[in-house]
Amino acid sequence: QQQVKQSPQSLIVQKGGISIINCAYENTAFDYFPWYQQFPGKGPALLIAIRPDVSEKKEGRFTISFNKSAKQFSLHIMDSQPGDSATYFCAASKLRYGNKLVFGAGTILRVKS
Amino acid sequence: EAQVTQNPRYLITVTGKKLTVTCSQNMNHEYMSWYRQDPGLGLRQIYYSMNVEVTDKGDVPEGYKVSRKEKRNFPLILESPSPNQTSLYFCASSLGRGNSPLHFGNGTRLTVT
């Protein structure tokens, strides 16, 4: 049973376009939602994270949108670049349990130049 | 340079032959964890450790052992590997607070024949 469902499995976007990756969760006790970015041959690295008390968080070209009532959150990459080509994982956790993250299945993003 | 170092990067072994994957971090992190990454399943936690001599099972602990005798090291032991343990393994560490970013190693690709 996957606690965090991520879609799509793969995504191809033209350079300059918007990449959108969606995640849905079941457990309403989750209160921390990070996104990790993984390049080939490397381990994942934290990209951006959000708490459920805000509906949106933006860092440069990366934005998380959060919908608490729908139990969904998404990553938007504006002006997508070939260097953004990577695997993206959403995750969720309960802050008081420390770093026990539950990850989504991952999305392979390819940005075509 | 702050990093998590895993060795080896690649390992091919046969069913039943005990093996150890080493993990070391130089950031004085209290929290360390092992994940396996499989296509379509994302990252699943095997074991984690909140501090020296404190370890606990993650979501998929069967067939694995860990130990945390020193703060910096967290080896993963497969006593009797089986083909279903063929996977990409990642070690990660963090300060241990709920919103602390996880720092991942570059992975160990294990093949069990």
Side-chain angles (χ1 to χ4, degrees):
Chain A
Q1 178 190 359
Q2 199 154 26
Q3 296 189 56
V4 178
K5 294 184 180 179
Q6 184 171 345
S7 62
Q9 194 170 3
S10 62
L11 181 61
I12 300 175
V13 174
Q14 287 292 132
K15 179 181 176 181
I18 302 173
S19 304
I20 301 175
I21 304 170
N22 300 299
C23 284
Y25 63 98
E26 295 289 328
N27 191 339
T28 55
F30 287 146
D31 55 4
Y32 179 66
F33 302 90
W35 286 87
Y36 279 76
Q37 178 188 54
Q38 182 185 29
F39 293 107
K42 300 291 186 182
L46 179 64
L47 181 64
I48 186 173
I50 197 168
R51 297 276 316 269
D53 50 347
V54 297
S55 61
E56 186 174 282
K57 183 174 181 180
K58 185 176 181 179
E59 289 184 4
R61 295 183 294 106
F62 299 89
T63 299
I64 300 178
S65 297
F66 188 84
N67 186 329
K68 190 174 181 178
S69 60
K71 294 187 287 184
Q72 295 176 346
F73 58 110
S74 59
L75 177 69
H76 296 236
I77 306 174
M78 312 300 287
D79 186 27
S80 299
Q81 299 297 311
D84 297 329
S85 298
T87 299
Y88 292 82
F89 293 98
C90 62
S93 72
K94 305 171 205 173
L95 278 172
R96 66 192 182 102
Y97 288 115
N99 276 138
K100 194 157 173 49
L101 289 169
V102 177
F103 285 89
T107 296
I108 301 170
L109 170 65
R110 181 182 160 210
V111 182
K112 293 174 65 175
S113 55
Chain B
E1 180 191 351
Q3 58 186 0
V4 177
T5 303
Q6 292 178 231
N7 280 298
R9 290 294 308 272
Y10 301 92
L11 181 56
I12 301 174
T13 190
V14 296
T15 300
K17 186 176 182 182
K18 181 180 178 179
L19 66 91
T20 299
V21 184
T22 64
C23 174
S24 181
Q25 51 93 3
N26 62 1
M27 294 169 279
N28 201 34
H29 284 166
E30 292 188 348
Y31 181 92
M32 297 187 75
S33 181
W34 277 101
Y35 293 85
R36 59 178 290 174
Q37 181 177 354
D38 301 288
L41 295 176
L43 292 153
R44 293 180 293 167
Q45 191 177 49
I46 302 170
Y47 269 94
Y48 65 98
S49 170
M50 300 294 287
N51 214 326
V52 176
E53 301 291 3
V54 181
T55 63
D56 209 346
K57 297 177 180 178
D59 299 315
V60 288
E62 294 78 20
Y64 305 95
K65 284 176 58 178
V66 293
S67 68
R68 186 94 181 271
K69 293 182 169 53
E70 306 165 280
K71 198 171 188 178
R72 63 183 291 126
N73 295 323
F74 191 45
L76 179 69
I77 303 156
L78 284 72
E79 295 268 2
S80 183
S82 62
N84 65 11
Q85 293 178 297
T86 292
S87 186
L88 178 59
Y89 291 86
F90 287 99
C91 179
S93 72
S94 81
L95 289 169
R97 292 189 292 272
N99 59 353
S100 304
L102 278 171
H103 297 262
F104 284 83
N106 284 333
T108 295
R109 185 165 293 280
L110 172 65
T111 302
V112 184
T113 61

